[in-house]
Amino acid sequence: MNQSTDPELIVGIDLGTTNSLVAFCDDRGPRVLLDESTQALLPSVVRIDADGRMTIGREARDHAVEYPRETVHSVKRLMGQTIDQVRGDLDYLSYEVAAGEGAAARLRVHDRLLSPQEISAAILARLREIAQAALRRPVGKAVITVPAYFDDAQRQATRDAGRFAGLEVARIINEPTAAALAYGIGRSGEAETIAVYDLGGGTFDISILQIIPPSGADASIDSAFFQVRSTAGDTHLGGDDVDRLIVELVQREIRAQHGLALEFPPSTRQALRRFAEATKIRLSSEDSAAIQIDLGDGRTYERTITRDEFETMIAPWVDRTIDACRRALRDARLEPGEIDRVVMVGGSTRIPLVRQRVGAFFETNPYTAIDPDQVVALGAAVQAAILSGSQQAALLLDVIPLSLGIETMGGAVAKLIMRNSTVPCQATERFSTSVDGQTSIKIHVLQGERELAGDCRSLGEFHLRGIPPMPAGIPQLEVSFHIDVNGILDVTAVERRSGKRAAVQIVANHGLTAAEVDRIERDSISHARSDMKLHRIIDLRVNAALDLKWIRDAIKRVEGEIPPDYRRELDGRIAALQRFVDESEREPQSVDADAFHAAKEELDRASVRLHELSIARSLRDEG
Ligand code: ADP
Ligand code: MG
């Protein structure tokens, strides 16, 4: 093979304890590269067969129980360490660890001594392959992330692993720094103190970083401007502990209910662990999770774990991470309130209780908008783009380039924040419902200058649920947008009568190039007239439909009391307005908006008497 490698093409790699992944950043921003089966996460697991062949990733992980001694997981724990430094880890590893030259930690598999670097190199080579297939170009350089507490030997081992995999390591950067770069922290030019809370599968790290932005007009922020003030954590604390708690609960109850002293074979234990993990993941988004296990002989174990029960169970585990946060702050000589920003990293930060406790401790709403599994790799890709000089096209963050709003009734857009607003900024709008008894409202967040939702860019949507049924127009929905200095958008919806609340966080400028912003702007100008008309028609249609509904209801109520002449007039005007409503649904562009408006006004005027009759009737009914 004689491929020439593109010197400018640099990928970002998160070489994790549990999972690894590779990302790339172009002028649209960073994105994770997917393998042939569209998976982003590559389990950091390598099986070595007797003939020396290596199986890497999902396949190796899924059969780990069958081959405990030749399946290497968590090799990151051994990187650049001596055998004495990893004694505490040995209980957690299913394979044999031995001392090599200079007491260096080595793995013994099939009587061969392997270095942790070789195993990591196999993972990196697989990631390189995924990147080359996804980008259809040779990849020869990478930015690789490591924990902030990694010492020189551990960093050097990571560099060596890259070299063995045919990758020139352009830079080694700290995982918390990468996470901050992914969120664009530092680009606003503000000096910030941030905490990065990383709760993965088997490890917990908290890092306190200080950002000293470069001075000068077009200085671009780089990992060099992030200083580590302190780190703390626990190398044996993570999502695995939660899986274990669920397994123990299930085993205990099966024993109590069925008198079974279950000695599960390893494959069943593994299945139980996977099942416990799935239950845990469900409880991150649902209020309860039902469990059902077939015990054979017609016996089943069934029960439901509620979110409350789950939270009580894991509270001490979350407390341990908060204790570490306290230690890190003390070492940095800071109070929780002095932290400007908290970035959440690692799959286990999807647990709502974790987010809640961390937010309460640091007195701020943590950053969760970017997938916590991907944020480190995405930040590594941002650093890679800066090194290769392809970051110039990145959007400036001190203004909002395109307006932000939500979809309203009939597919129109209510803009809350106008384009070119400077950050930070915020806005609140009141809305209501258009349908009687609505108990759930969809909030669709949009970006763009056009008047119709379909012509804007969708940034995300969420539901405000659990609203008690009320007639249309009665619920008081308040939607707030808040954008901070880093361009992170928090959208909150509250129904004031019931106090129900829901929220979403979005990185507003992700996936958008400067050229696209220009095009969207031009489009909005050329469509301005027809858009404005459409918006007016939609508003008329929504309001006319509400009027018609009210008037028809009122007619039903006072049926016998309406004089025939008046009734004929009303019916005529109702039919006229209904025709406009129907036409506006079929062909909104061809509706005569002024005539529509006039028909609505005429019915309004004509219905005054109906209104009086209806009020008189209500008074009589009450009296
Ligand atoms: P690492 O940093 O150790 O490589 P990750 O950041 O990939 O690990 O996190 C893996 C952990 O996250 C696992 O314990 C997994 O069960 C957990 N996890 C993933 N998704 C969720 C979720 N939705 N809710 C709770 N835990 C989750
Ligand atoms: Mg991680």
Side-chain angles (χ1 to χ4, degrees):
M1 286 249 290
N2 194 8
Q3 277 179 337
S4 73
T5 47
D6 185 339
E8 290 315 306
L9 197 70
I10 313 179
V11 294
I13 291 178
D14 171 6
L15 186 59
T17 309
T18 317
N19 293 302
S20 296
L21 59 169
V22 56
F24 182 67
C25 181
D26 54 21
D27 57 0
R28 200 174 285 279
R31 66 175 195 280
V32 162
L33 301 175
L34 308 180
D35 69 10
E36 318 69 67
S37 39
T38 70
Q39 298 280 351
L41 294 183
L42 177 71
S44 306
V45 181
V46 178
R47 183 177 71 237
I48 300 132
D49 294 337
D51 59 6
R53 222 171 51 93
M54 288 187 180
T55 306
I56 302 145
R58 207 155 274 107
E59 159 83 15
R61 183 198 62 189
D62 291 346
H63 297 280
V65 208
E66 295 149 60
Y67 308 98
R69 298 184 62 78
E70 45 264 81
T71 304
V72 181
H73 60 91
S74 305
V75 74
K76 188 170 179 177
R77 296 182 185 276
L78 307 180
M79 292 283 281
Q81 300 283 68
T82 63
I83 186 88
D84 289 327
Q85 286 171 313
V86 298
R87 292 253 183 251
D89 291 303
L90 299 183
D91 279 349
Y92 296 84
L93 307 175
S94 60
Y95 49 90
E96 190 184 342
V97 178
E101 209 178 304
R106 292 281 179 269
L107 308 97
R108 196 196 304 278
V109 184
H110 299 299
D111 280 332
R112 280 176 56 210
L113 221 50
L114 292 162
S115 68
Q117 288 89 322
E118 285 171 84
I119 303 293
S120 289
I123 297 166
L124 289 171
R126 175 72 189 116
L127 291 172
R128 178 178 178 220
E129 211 174 87
I130 292 169
Q132 296 190 142
L135 297 170
R136 296 167 211 273
R137 276 187 291 172
V139 171
K141 281 191 184 182
V143 170
I144 303 180
T145 60
V146 296
Y149 61 77
F150 256 29
D151 63 20
D152 285 342
Q154 290 168 297
R155 283 166 203 263
Q156 187 54 46
T158 305
R159 270 185 190 284
D160 292 342
R163 196 160 35 84
F164 297 160
L167 287 167
E168 181 188 325
V169 180
R171 197 180 283 185
I172 295 275
I173 68 171
N174 291 331
E175 285 159 12
T177 298
L181 284 174
Y183 274 104
I185 290 173
R187 280 203 280 162
S188 65
E190 308 261 327
E192 288 193 287
T193 306
I194 67 164
V196 180
Y197 178 102
D198 181 348
L199 188 55
T203 59
F204 170 63
D205 297 314
I206 174 78
S207 313
I208 310 291
L209 306 182
Q210 181 99 48
I211 297 123
I212 304 136
S215 45
D218 66 343
S220 94
I221 193 86
D222 175 283
S223 59
F225 302 106
F226 291 74
Q227 251 172 41
V228 180
R229 285 196 54 171
S230 67
T231 63
D234 188 327
T235 51
H236 293 285
L237 176 68
D240 295 347
D241 301 322
V242 177
D243 304 347
R244 214 171 296 128
L245 286 173
I246 296 176
V247 169
E248 281 164 12
L249 170 84
V250 168
Q251 280 178 326
R252 211 167 41 239
E253 292 188 349
I254 290 179
R255 209 168 291 140
Q257 287 170 19
H258 298 275
L260 293 177
L262 287 177
E263 263 316 314
F264 294 122
S267 61
T268 310
R269 273 210 310 274
Q270 173 82 359
L272 207 53
R273 280 295 289 273
R274 303 227 126 234
F275 164 86
E277 185 182 18
T279 304
K280 166 187 78 176
I281 289 173
R282 249 188 300 154
L283 283 165
S284 285
S285 54
E286 284 158 37
D287 288 333
S288 67
I291 305 180
Q292 190 176 14
I293 298 175
D294 185 359
L295 300 172
D297 302 333
R299 287 176 304 185
T300 45
Y301 166 77
E302 263 180 300
R303 78 106 87 203
T304 298
I305 301 186
T306 64
R307 173 85 68 84
D308 283 345
E309 194 182 346
F310 177 68
E311 292 187 341
T312 307
M313 187 162 90
I314 65 170
W317 172 78
V318 182
D319 285 344
R320 285 170 64 197
T321 71
I322 300 293
D323 289 342
C325 293
R326 220 170 265 130
R327 286 199 303 277
L329 282 179
R330 202 184 45 222
D331 291 350
R333 275 184 240 104
L334 291 169
E335 295 295 322
E338 290 178 274
I339 300 296
D340 298 303
R341 225 63 61 186
V342 179
V343 177
M344 298 295 254
V345 180
S348 300
T349 62
R350 289 212 184 80
I351 298 175
L353 181 68
V354 170
R355 293 182 173 187
Q356 218 173 296
R357 292 291 312 279
V358 172
F361 178 73
F362 287 106
E363 302 161 26
T364 178
N365 191 20
Y367 278 2
T368 55
I370 301 178
D371 189 333
D373 300 320
Q374 303 190 350
V375 61
V376 168
L378 293 171
V382 168
Q383 175 66 69
I386 294 168
L387 291 176
S388 65
S390 62
Q391 259 289 333
Q392 301 96 329
L395 288 168
L396 282 177
L397 277 167
D398 54 349
V399 296
I400 292 302
L402 295 171
S403 302
L404 296 164
I406 68 166
E407 179 171 350
T408 58
M409 291 169 226
V413 181
K415 298 196 174 108
L416 275 87
I417 291 181
M418 292 305 176
R419 89 188 151 91
N420 292 334
S421 302
T422 47
V423 296
C425 54
Q426 61 189 76
T428 299
E429 280 248 16
R430 296 247 165 98
F431 300 92
S432 194
T433 50
S434 55
V435 179
D436 288 339
Q438 220 175 313
T439 57
S440 159
I441 300 171
K442 184 173 94 175
I443 316 285
H444 186 189
V445 184
L446 298 159
Q447 179 177 44
E449 304 315 313
R450 303 283 301 273
E451 298 286 336
L452 297 187
D455 295 323
C456 288
R457 197 167 165 253
S458 171
L459 292 183
E461 55 179 54
F462 62 104
H463 286 88
L464 180 60
R465 294 183 214 278
I467 304 167
M470 288 180 256
I474 298 299
Q476 295 180 353
L477 182 64
E478 210 172 81
V479 177
S480 315
F481 279 32
H482 178 273
I483 303 185
D484 70 11
V485 289
N486 299 311
I488 307 300
L489 166 64
D490 277 300
V491 180
T492 313
V494 187
E495 199 288 302
R496 299 202 68 87
R497 289 176 190 275
S498 58
K500 288 287 171 190
R501 166 187 295 269
V504 74
Q505 191 184 69
I506 293 165
V507 187
N509 294 338
H510 254 195
L512 204 61
T513 68
E516 271 168 330
V517 171
D518 288 346
R519 182 186 56 73
I520 290 169
E521 223 167 77
R522 279 197 308 278
D523 267 12
S524 75
I525 295 165
S526 66
H527 287 99
R529 282 185 82 90
S530 66
D531 269 11
M532 225 137 77
K533 179 183 167 187
L534 268 180
H535 200 147
R536 188 170 169 218
I537 299 278
I538 289 172
D539 285 350
L540 277 168
R541 185 211 297 158
V542 168
N543 290 322
L546 282 172
D547 285 0
L548 285 167
K549 177 177 175 300
W550 177 83
I551 287 167
R552 285 181 175 128
D553 286 352
I555 289 176
K556 246 182 253 150
R557 256 199 316 279
V558 293
E559 194 77 68
E561 299 158 39
I562 309 175
D565 280 0
Y566 178 47
R567 177 64 195 259
R568 258 191 305 283
E569 185 198 349
L570 274 178
D571 283 347
R573 300 220 185 279
I574 288 173
L577 187 58
Q578 186 65 53
R579 269 196 300 280
F580 277 110
V581 170
D582 293 345
E583 193 187 342
S584 75
E585 264 159 24
R586 275 195 318 272
E587 255 181 299
Q589 283 290 9
S590 63
V591 176
D592 178 343
D594 291 335
F596 192 169
H597 183 74
K600 185 176 170 301
E601 296 270 277
E602 276 159 22
L603 179 60
D604 274 353
R605 267 196 299 279
S607 61
V608 171
R609 211 168 134 199
L610 179 67
H611 199 56
E612 287 164 4
L613 286 171
S614 166
I615 290 172
R617 177 58 187 261
S618 318
L619 290 176
R620 248 181 296 135
D621 285 353
E622 274 169 30

PDB file of all heavy atoms in Angstrom, residues 438-444 460-467 477 493 500-504:
ATOM      1  N   GLN A 438     -56.889  19.720  26.418  1.00  0.00           N
ATOM      2  CA  GLN A 438     -55.529  19.316  26.039  1.00  0.00           C
ATOM      3  C   GLN A 438     -54.693  19.084  27.306  1.00  0.00           C
ATOM      4  O   GLN A 438     -54.588  19.965  28.149  1.00  0.00           O
ATOM      5  CB  GLN A 438     -54.908  20.450  25.227  1.00  0.00           C
ATOM      6  CG  GLN A 438     -54.092  19.994  24.042  1.00  0.00           C
ATOM      7  CD  GLN A 438     -53.608  21.171  23.211  1.00  0.00           C
ATOM      8  OE1 GLN A 438     -54.384  22.068  22.888  1.00  0.00           O
ATOM      9  NE2 GLN A 438     -52.343  21.166  22.870  1.00  0.00           N
ATOM     10  N   THR A 439     -54.075  17.901  27.449  1.00  0.00           N
ATOM     11  CA  THR A 439     -53.285  17.637  28.651  1.00  0.00           C
ATOM     12  C   THR A 439     -51.799  17.612  28.359  1.00  0.00           C
ATOM     13  O   THR A 439     -50.984  17.456  29.257  1.00  0.00           O
ATOM     14  CB  THR A 439     -53.678  16.285  29.277  1.00  0.00           C
ATOM     15  OG1 THR A 439     -53.504  15.277  28.281  1.00  0.00           O
ATOM     16  CG2 THR A 439     -55.110  16.286  29.752  1.00  0.00           C
ATOM     17  N   SER A 440     -51.441  17.743  27.065  1.00  0.00           N
ATOM     18  CA  SER A 440     -50.033  17.732  26.695  1.00  0.00           C
ATOM     19  C   SER A 440     -49.825  18.749  25.574  1.00  0.00           C
ATOM     20  O   SER A 440     -50.641  18.840  24.661  1.00  0.00           O
ATOM     21  CB  SER A 440     -49.660  16.321  26.238  1.00  0.00           C
ATOM     22  OG  SER A 440     -48.502  16.356  25.449  1.00  0.00           O
ATOM     23  N   ILE A 441     -48.777  19.524  25.696  1.00  0.00           N
ATOM     24  CA  ILE A 441     -48.498  20.537  24.680  1.00  0.00           C
ATOM     25  C   ILE A 441     -47.108  20.299  24.123  1.00  0.00           C
ATOM     26  O   ILE A 441     -46.152  20.118  24.878  1.00  0.00           O
ATOM     27  CB  ILE A 441     -48.569  21.960  25.274  1.00  0.00           C
ATOM     28  CG1 ILE A 441     -49.967  22.222  25.842  1.00  0.00           C
ATOM     29  CG2 ILE A 441     -48.224  23.012  24.216  1.00  0.00           C
ATOM     30  CD1 ILE A 441     -50.067  23.510  26.624  1.00  0.00           C
ATOM     31  N   LYS A 442     -47.001  20.293  22.793  1.00  0.00           N
ATOM     32  CA  LYS A 442     -45.701  20.095  22.169  1.00  0.00           C
ATOM     33  C   LYS A 442     -45.025  21.448  21.972  1.00  0.00           C
ATOM     34  O   LYS A 442     -45.620  22.373  21.449  1.00  0.00           O
ATOM     35  CB  LYS A 442     -45.868  19.402  20.814  1.00  0.00           C
ATOM     36  CG  LYS A 442     -44.537  19.090  20.158  1.00  0.00           C
ATOM     37  CD  LYS A 442     -44.703  18.269  18.902  1.00  0.00           C
ATOM     38  CE  LYS A 442     -44.758  19.184  17.690  1.00  0.00           C
ATOM     39  NZ  LYS A 442     -44.807  18.445  16.421  1.00  0.00           N
ATOM     40  N   ILE A 443     -43.783  21.543  22.411  1.00  0.00           N
ATOM     41  CA  ILE A 443     -43.004  22.764  22.188  1.00  0.00           C
ATOM     42  C   ILE A 443     -41.957  22.427  21.133  1.00  0.00           C
ATOM     43  O   ILE A 443     -41.082  21.585  21.370  1.00  0.00           O
ATOM     44  CB  ILE A 443     -42.272  23.237  23.474  1.00  0.00           C
ATOM     45  CG1 ILE A 443     -43.175  23.159  24.697  1.00  0.00           C
ATOM     46  CG2 ILE A 443     -41.655  24.614  23.267  1.00  0.00           C
ATOM     47  CD1 ILE A 443     -44.214  24.210  24.804  1.00  0.00           C
ATOM     48  N   HIS A 444     -42.066  23.068  19.981  1.00  0.00           N
ATOM     49  CA  HIS A 444     -41.147  22.795  18.872  1.00  0.00           C
ATOM     50  C   HIS A 444     -40.258  24.023  18.697  1.00  0.00           C
ATOM     51  O   HIS A 444     -40.748  25.097  18.355  1.00  0.00           O
ATOM     52  CB  HIS A 444     -41.984  22.511  17.615  1.00  0.00           C
ATOM     53  CG  HIS A 444     -41.169  22.067  16.446  1.00  0.00           C
ATOM     54  ND1 HIS A 444     -41.691  21.933  15.189  1.00  0.00           N
ATOM     55  CD2 HIS A 444     -39.864  21.725  16.349  1.00  0.00           C
ATOM     56  CE1 HIS A 444     -40.735  21.529  14.360  1.00  0.00           C
ATOM     57  NE2 HIS A 444     -39.623  21.411  15.040  1.00  0.00           N
ATOM     58  N   GLY A 460     -35.319  21.102  17.822  1.00  0.00           N
ATOM     59  CA  GLY A 460     -35.669  20.086  18.808  1.00  0.00           C
ATOM     60  C   GLY A 460     -37.083  20.318  19.291  1.00  0.00           C
ATOM     61  O   GLY A 460     -37.669  21.370  19.036  1.00  0.00           O
ATOM     62  N   GLU A 461     -37.648  19.310  19.947  1.00  0.00           N
ATOM     63  CA  GLU A 461     -38.980  19.496  20.499  1.00  0.00           C
ATOM     64  C   GLU A 461     -39.125  18.709  21.783  1.00  0.00           C
ATOM     65  O   GLU A 461     -38.383  17.773  22.039  1.00  0.00           O
ATOM     66  CB  GLU A 461     -40.049  19.099  19.485  1.00  0.00           C
ATOM     67  CG  GLU A 461     -39.900  17.687  18.951  1.00  0.00           C
ATOM     68  CD  GLU A 461     -40.995  17.334  17.956  1.00  0.00           C
ATOM     69  OE1 GLU A 461     -41.170  18.081  16.986  1.00  0.00           O
ATOM     70  OE2 GLU A 461     -41.673  16.322  18.186  1.00  0.00           O
ATOM     71  N   PHE A 462     -40.054  19.138  22.598  1.00  0.00           N
ATOM     72  CA  PHE A 462     -40.338  18.403  23.830  1.00  0.00           C
ATOM     73  C   PHE A 462     -41.800  18.618  24.195  1.00  0.00           C
ATOM     74  O   PHE A 462     -42.480  19.451  23.604  1.00  0.00           O
ATOM     75  CB  PHE A 462     -39.404  18.834  24.958  1.00  0.00           C
ATOM     76  CG  PHE A 462     -39.525  20.287  25.370  1.00  0.00           C
ATOM     77  CD1 PHE A 462     -40.183  20.645  26.542  1.00  0.00           C
ATOM     78  CD2 PHE A 462     -38.979  21.288  24.592  1.00  0.00           C
ATOM     79  CE1 PHE A 462     -40.287  21.972  26.932  1.00  0.00           C
ATOM     80  CE2 PHE A 462     -39.083  22.629  24.964  1.00  0.00           C
ATOM     81  CZ  PHE A 462     -39.734  22.966  26.129  1.00  0.00           C
ATOM     82  N   HIS A 463     -42.282  17.825  25.138  1.00  0.00           N
ATOM     83  CA  HIS A 463     -43.684  17.888  25.529  1.00  0.00           C
ATOM     84  C   HIS A 463     -43.824  18.340  26.973  1.00  0.00           C
ATOM     85  O   HIS A 463     -43.075  17.906  27.835  1.00  0.00           O
ATOM     86  CB  HIS A 463     -44.346  16.524  25.363  1.00  0.00           C
ATOM     87  CG  HIS A 463     -44.609  16.184  23.931  1.00  0.00           C
ATOM     88  ND1 HIS A 463     -43.671  15.558  23.147  1.00  0.00           N
ATOM     89  CD2 HIS A 463     -45.680  16.425  23.136  1.00  0.00           C
ATOM     90  CE1 HIS A 463     -44.163  15.403  21.929  1.00  0.00           C
ATOM     91  NE2 HIS A 463     -45.381  15.920  21.891  1.00  0.00           N
ATOM     92  N   LEU A 464     -44.784  19.216  27.187  1.00  0.00           N
ATOM     93  CA  LEU A 464     -45.166  19.579  28.546  1.00  0.00           C
ATOM     94  C   LEU A 464     -46.399  18.735  28.839  1.00  0.00           C
ATOM     95  O   LEU A 464     -47.439  18.915  28.218  1.00  0.00           O
ATOM     96  CB  LEU A 464     -45.490  21.077  28.607  1.00  0.00           C
ATOM     97  CG  LEU A 464     -45.903  21.614  29.973  1.00  0.00           C
ATOM     98  CD1 LEU A 464     -44.800  21.386  30.983  1.00  0.00           C
ATOM     99  CD2 LEU A 464     -46.216  23.096  29.878  1.00  0.00           C
ATOM    100  N   ARG A 465     -46.243  17.774  29.747  1.00  0.00           N
ATOM    101  CA  ARG A 465     -47.325  16.812  29.991  1.00  0.00           C
ATOM    102  C   ARG A 465     -47.958  17.017  31.362  1.00  0.00           C
ATOM    103  O   ARG A 465     -47.432  17.733  32.192  1.00  0.00           O
ATOM    104  CB  ARG A 465     -46.780  15.389  29.929  1.00  0.00           C
ATOM    105  CG  ARG A 465     -46.298  14.977  28.566  1.00  0.00           C
ATOM    106  CD  ARG A 465     -45.842  13.517  28.600  1.00  0.00           C
ATOM    107  NE  ARG A 465     -44.724  13.297  27.693  1.00  0.00           N
ATOM    108  CZ  ARG A 465     -44.865  13.091  26.389  1.00  0.00           C
ATOM    109  NH1 ARG A 465     -46.067  13.062  25.842  1.00  0.00           N
ATOM    110  NH2 ARG A 465     -43.811  12.918  25.625  1.00  0.00           N
ATOM    111  N   GLY A 466     -49.071  16.326  31.544  1.00  0.00           N
ATOM    112  CA  GLY A 466     -49.702  16.295  32.864  1.00  0.00           C
ATOM    113  C   GLY A 466     -50.490  17.540  33.194  1.00  0.00           C
ATOM    114  O   GLY A 466     -50.746  17.839  34.359  1.00  0.00           O
ATOM    115  N   ILE A 467     -50.895  18.298  32.158  1.00  0.00           N
ATOM    116  CA  ILE A 467     -51.717  19.474  32.411  1.00  0.00           C
ATOM    117  C   ILE A 467     -53.151  18.996  32.655  1.00  0.00           C
ATOM    118  O   ILE A 467     -53.667  18.192  31.888  1.00  0.00           O
ATOM    119  CB  ILE A 467     -51.693  20.406  31.182  1.00  0.00           C
ATOM    120  CG1 ILE A 467     -50.252  20.776  30.852  1.00  0.00           C
ATOM    121  CG2 ILE A 467     -52.546  21.647  31.398  1.00  0.00           C
ATOM    122  CD1 ILE A 467     -50.102  21.422  29.501  1.00  0.00           C
ATOM    123  N   LEU A 477     -49.672  29.143  29.385  1.00  0.00           N
ATOM    124  CA  LEU A 477     -48.382  28.560  29.074  1.00  0.00           C
ATOM    125  C   LEU A 477     -47.348  29.662  28.912  1.00  0.00           C
ATOM    126  O   LEU A 477     -47.542  30.595  28.137  1.00  0.00           O
ATOM    127  CB  LEU A 477     -48.523  27.771  27.781  1.00  0.00           C
ATOM    128  CG  LEU A 477     -47.292  27.027  27.305  1.00  0.00           C
ATOM    129  CD1 LEU A 477     -46.910  25.955  28.303  1.00  0.00           C
ATOM    130  CD2 LEU A 477     -47.564  26.403  25.953  1.00  0.00           C
ATOM    131  N   ALA A 493     -40.694  25.574  29.570  1.00  0.00           N
ATOM    132  CA  ALA A 493     -42.127  25.808  29.420  1.00  0.00           C
ATOM    133  C   ALA A 493     -42.806  25.524  30.751  1.00  0.00           C
ATOM    134  O   ALA A 493     -42.535  24.501  31.377  1.00  0.00           O
ATOM    135  CB  ALA A 493     -42.695  24.896  28.335  1.00  0.00           C
ATOM    136  N   LYS A 500     -46.981  22.765  36.093  1.00  0.00           N
ATOM    137  CA  LYS A 500     -46.217  21.755  35.334  1.00  0.00           C
ATOM    138  C   LYS A 500     -45.116  22.442  34.534  1.00  0.00           C
ATOM    139  O   LYS A 500     -45.321  23.541  34.000  1.00  0.00           O
ATOM    140  CB  LYS A 500     -47.145  20.991  34.380  1.00  0.00           C
ATOM    141  CG  LYS A 500     -48.068  20.033  35.092  1.00  0.00           C
ATOM    142  CD  LYS A 500     -47.320  18.826  35.602  1.00  0.00           C
ATOM    143  CE  LYS A 500     -48.238  17.992  36.503  1.00  0.00           C
ATOM    144  NZ  LYS A 500     -47.518  16.942  37.199  1.00  0.00           N
ATOM    145  N   ARG A 501     -43.969  21.767  34.449  1.00  0.00           N
ATOM    146  CA  ARG A 501     -42.799  22.389  33.845  1.00  0.00           C
ATOM    147  C   ARG A 501     -42.038  21.355  33.031  1.00  0.00           C
ATOM    148  O   ARG A 501     -41.989  20.182  33.394  1.00  0.00           O
ATOM    149  CB  ARG A 501     -41.942  22.931  34.991  1.00  0.00           C
ATOM    150  CG  ARG A 501     -40.531  23.337  34.670  1.00  0.00           C
ATOM    151  CD  ARG A 501     -39.803  23.679  35.973  1.00  0.00           C
ATOM    152  NE  ARG A 501     -40.385  24.841  36.613  1.00  0.00           N
ATOM    153  CZ  ARG A 501     -39.974  26.099  36.402  1.00  0.00           C
ATOM    154  NH1 ARG A 501     -38.981  26.332  35.591  1.00  0.00           N
ATOM    155  NH2 ARG A 501     -40.557  27.095  37.012  1.00  0.00           N
ATOM    156  N   ALA A 502     -41.443  21.789  31.923  1.00  0.00           N
ATOM    157  CA  ALA A 502     -40.562  20.924  31.131  1.00  0.00           C
ATOM    158  C   ALA A 502     -39.521  21.813  30.481  1.00  0.00           C
ATOM    159  O   ALA A 502     -39.749  23.007  30.301  1.00  0.00           O
ATOM    160  CB  ALA A 502     -41.355  20.163  30.068  1.00  0.00           C
ATOM    161  N   ALA A 503     -38.369  21.235  30.170  1.00  0.00           N
ATOM    162  CA  ALA A 503     -37.294  22.062  29.631  1.00  0.00           C
ATOM    163  C   ALA A 503     -36.417  21.260  28.694  1.00  0.00           C
ATOM    164  O   ALA A 503     -36.394  20.031  28.737  1.00  0.00           O
ATOM    165  CB  ALA A 503     -36.445  22.620  30.775  1.00  0.00           C
ATOM    166  N   VAL A 504     -35.711  21.976  27.835  1.00  0.00           N
ATOM    167  CA  VAL A 504     -34.744  21.334  26.960  1.00  0.00           C
ATOM    168  C   VAL A 504     -33.569  22.292  26.792  1.00  0.00           C
ATOM    169  O   VAL A 504     -33.731  23.510  26.937  1.00  0.00           O
ATOM    170  CB  VAL A 504     -35.398  20.966  25.606  1.00  0.00           C
ATOM    171  CG1 VAL A 504     -35.621  22.191  24.740  1.00  0.00           C
ATOM    172  CG2 VAL A 504     -34.557  19.960  24.853  1.00  0.00           C
TER     173      VAL A 504
END
